[in-house]
């Protein structure tokens, strides 16, 4: 298991379009991946799950992965979050 913390940099948070980018990136990996906000943890490959967290700009999240490519998955998702979901 591998995890890192990240702060949501874009103002709107992890909603609609940014959440779609996040999920698409998560689905590139074989590992099981979760997003955790406070005590709630959801599947990072599920749009409804990610949206249900209500992640707003400035929020801190934890990205957790477990599997063969766990480090690459977490690092890639943290990079995406840190970019502010720029195209």
């Amino acid at each position: 298991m591998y995890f890192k913390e990240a702060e949501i940099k874009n103002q709107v948070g992890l909603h609609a379009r940014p959440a779609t980018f996040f999920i698409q990136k998560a689905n590139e990996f074989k590992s099981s991946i979760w997003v955790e906000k406070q005590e709630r943890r959801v599947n990072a490959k599920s749009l409804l799950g990610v949206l249900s967290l209500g992640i707003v700009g400035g929020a801190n999240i934890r990205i957790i992965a477990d599997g063969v490519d766990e480090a690459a998955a977490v690092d890639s998702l943290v990079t995406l979050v840190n970019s502010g979901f720029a195209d």
Side-chain angles (χ1 to χ4, degrees):
M1 188 166 295
Y2 184 79
F3 68 90
K4 282 189 177 178
E5 304 269 337
E7 180 182 344
I8 303 299
K9 308 243 189 254
N10 60 330
Q11 287 185 325
V12 297
L14 203 53
H15 297 284
R17 188 173 176 192
T20 300
F21 291 150
F22 187 87
I23 291 153
Q24 287 172 342
K25 180 60 73 178
N27 277 302
E28 293 176 9
F29 299 95
K30 293 180 181 179
S31 293
S32 296
I33 308 169
W34 301 274
V35 179
E36 192 172 80
K37 179 185 165 206
Q38 296 165 337
E39 69 282 349
R40 289 197 56 219
R41 182 185 289 190
V42 298
N43 182 346
K45 298 179 181 182
S46 164
L47 181 60
L48 289 176
V50 171
L51 291 176
S52 75
L53 290 177
I55 299 168
V56 296
N60 289 309
I61 61 170
R62 178 178 288 172
I63 302 169
I64 306 158
D66 189 23
V68 294
D69 53 1
E70 61 190 27
V74 170
D75 291 341
S76 180
L77 289 167
V78 168
T79 298
L80 177 65
V81 169
N82 288 339
S83 77
F85 300 93
D87 293 317

